Amino acid sequence: MTMSTAEADKILSANFAPWVLGLGLSVEAVGDDRAVLRLPWSQRLAREGGALSGQALMAAADTATVIAVSAARGAYGPMTTVQQSTSFQRAVAGSDVLVEAALTKLGRRMAFADITMTVEESGLIAARASTVYALLG
């Protein structure tokens, strides 16, 4: 049974630090092996020059992975980031970003995901990431 976006939003609000919640992320879609989150444009998250900070994009990718793993497992469980690698392809200014985390492998103790961050306004890829998670529970 696929997790609903409302259930995924509850996981988001109940399990992340206040500064992560301050990004304004919302769950747009969930599937059996993926999640799409919206990172809303905010001048507050911009760096000098007006582009969205890389730190905000990396935190959004990390968070989307947790939601994707939770959806695949049917519920949230304790997990921690083991590795994250991010490549930035273009600056984002004045547009929301859609962050799609797709699991490439879900094992008993480890999960692997590829994340694509797309500028909503243009449809162009802003960044890509890969993550590895240890599943603790």
Side-chain angles (χ1 to χ4, degrees):
M1 183 169 126
T2 301
M3 181 178 287
S4 72
T5 57
E7 291 168 319
D9 269 326
K10 286 180 186 176
I11 290 170
L12 183 63
S13 64
N15 295 287
F16 288 89
W19 71 267
V20 174
L21 298 177
L23 295 172
L25 294 165
S26 61
V27 179
E28 293 284 303
V30 287
D32 292 337
D33 66 348
R34 68 190 58 245
V36 179
L37 275 59
R38 175 180 298 274
L39 174 61
W41 167 255
S42 170
Q43 186 63 42
R44 190 176 56 76
L45 300 176
R47 54 186 278 279
E48 184 178 341
L52 188 63
S53 73
Q55 294 94 330
L57 288 167
M58 291 175 74
D62 194 57
T63 305
T65 302
V66 172
I67 300 301
V69 170
S70 297
R73 296 177 85 193
Y76 174 80
M79 62 187 91
T80 189
T81 310
V82 173
Q83 182 273 333
Q84 179 173 338
S85 177
T86 306
S87 299
F88 300 98
Q89 297 181 5
R90 66 182 32 82
V92 178
S95 177
D96 290 359
V97 176
L98 298 177
V99 182
E100 181 173 5
L103 299 181
T104 58
K105 181 177 180 177
L106 179 63
R108 288 183 323 127
R109 293 285 172 212
M110 302 290 285
F112 300 80
D114 288 331
I115 302 94
T116 304
M117 292 163 266
T118 304
V119 182
E120 184 182 44
E121 189 174 279
S122 67
L124 298 173
I125 294 173
R128 292 184 185 272
S130 64
T131 56
V132 179
Y133 270 71
L135 307 176
L136 307 173

